[in-house]
Amino acid sequence: MVLDRKALLSYFIFGTPDTKYDPIWLLEQAIEGGITAYQFREKGPGALTGEERLALARRLRAVARRHGVLFFVDDDPDLALEVEADGVHIGQEDESIERVRQRVGTKLLIGVSTTTLEQAKRAEAAGADYIGAGPIFPTQTKPGKPPVGPEHVARLREAGIALPIVAIGGITPENAEGVMRHGADGVAYISAVARADEPKKAARAITRAAEAGLGPRGG
Ligand code: TZP
Ligand code: MG
């Protein structure tokens, strides 16, 4: 499928370990709040496995499809194909982009997590459809990686990276607009919505902030 970069504007990510809420309810609330993309990332202590994981992925995929929200699966091309996701998201430690592309062909979009300019260039050259860039700010969700700051996004653009960029790591309604102004196409976030007291409100606030930071862009 062809990726419309606007669909990456407000990109919510979570799995059951990230939240106290019922996952179906949480995704529905976030969609009511205006998110444009969702990534199923079932990872960490207590994460579902096997049939349970597959069943949840199917249910969440159905919710996303019903509302026209892009659906990605973290790390697992086989699961992504199985549930007919829109795409798969891979990290630097996962299978190579080339091998994933061989496996999924053009059926799935491929997103790649990057921290450095070098990794972003490699992802672009290898045919990724978008990159995640971060962690932008300090985050509890993925500890141990020093934040690159929002200026990193501007550096990627100055270096000629043309792929859609989704900024991730410590994104909140308060900082999303500023990050977008550095040239991001979207913001991706876990805690800001998955751990919010009012997830729908939080999703709405972060989506509006991202829109405000998008401003008028050429093309
Ligand atoms: N990749 C880079 S930072 C991060 C991932 C998956 C975690 C983002 O989580 P949060 O809670 O939005 O900071
Ligand atoms: Mg990974």
Side-chain angles (χ1 to χ4, degrees):
M1 88 183 266
V2 180
L3 176 60
D4 173 6
R5 62 178 72 210
K6 288 197 184 74
L8 298 174
L9 179 72
S10 184
Y11 188 146
F12 183 31
I13 303 170
F14 77 90
T16 52
D18 299 309
T19 186
K20 63 181 181 185
Y21 299 116
D22 171 76
I24 302 298
W25 179 85
L26 178 58
L27 181 57
E28 282 170 346
Q29 290 291 300
I31 290 173
E32 281 183 39
I35 68 160
T36 57
Y38 165 67
Q39 182 187 125
F40 180 67
R41 182 174 182 269
E42 189 63 22
K43 201 177 231 186
L48 300 176
T49 58
E51 285 303 313
E52 280 184 331
R53 176 166 169 271
L54 174 61
L56 178 59
R58 279 196 204 288
R59 292 174 66 207
L60 290 165
R61 201 285 167 263
V63 172
R65 192 190 293 285
R66 191 155 65 237
H67 296 281
V69 162
L70 280 183
F71 184 90
F72 293 91
V73 171
D74 179 59
D75 268 12
D76 189 339
D78 292 330
L79 179 64
L81 288 169
E82 176 79 33
V83 303
E84 296 181 0
D86 295 302
V88 61
H89 187 93
I90 57 177
Q92 295 293 323
E93 291 88 31
D94 300 323
E95 216 179 340
S96 75
I97 303 166
E98 289 85 352
R99 294 199 51 165
V100 173
R101 182 61 80 195
Q102 266 177 13
R103 186 116 124 264
V104 307
T106 54
K107 276 192 211 143
L108 298 182
L109 299 167
I110 300 178
V112 180
S113 294
T114 68
T115 301
T116 66
L117 172 60
E118 267 322 299
Q119 290 171 351
K121 283 183 176 164
R122 241 182 294 133
E124 189 160 69
D129 293 290
Y130 75 89
I131 55 168
I136 301 294
F137 301 109
T139 171
Q140 302 280 317
T141 311
K142 204 169 183 176
K145 268 196 184 168
V148 295
E151 305 75 23
H152 175 69
V153 176
R155 278 196 295 274
L156 295 176
R157 288 299 183 220
E158 283 154 22
I161 300 292
L163 276 185
I165 298 174
V166 180
I168 184 165
I171 300 294
T172 65
E174 290 71 35
N175 63 30
E177 178 176 350
V179 173
M180 290 294 295
R181 288 196 191 282
H182 283 83
D185 294 285
V187 286
Y189 45 83
I190 300 175
S191 323
V193 172
R195 297 189 193 279
D197 290 336
E198 295 180 88
K200 191 205 298 192
K201 261 196 188 167
R204 182 166 294 143
I206 214 161
T207 304
R208 286 195 177 150
E211 265 162 12
L214 189 61
R217 300 234 175 132

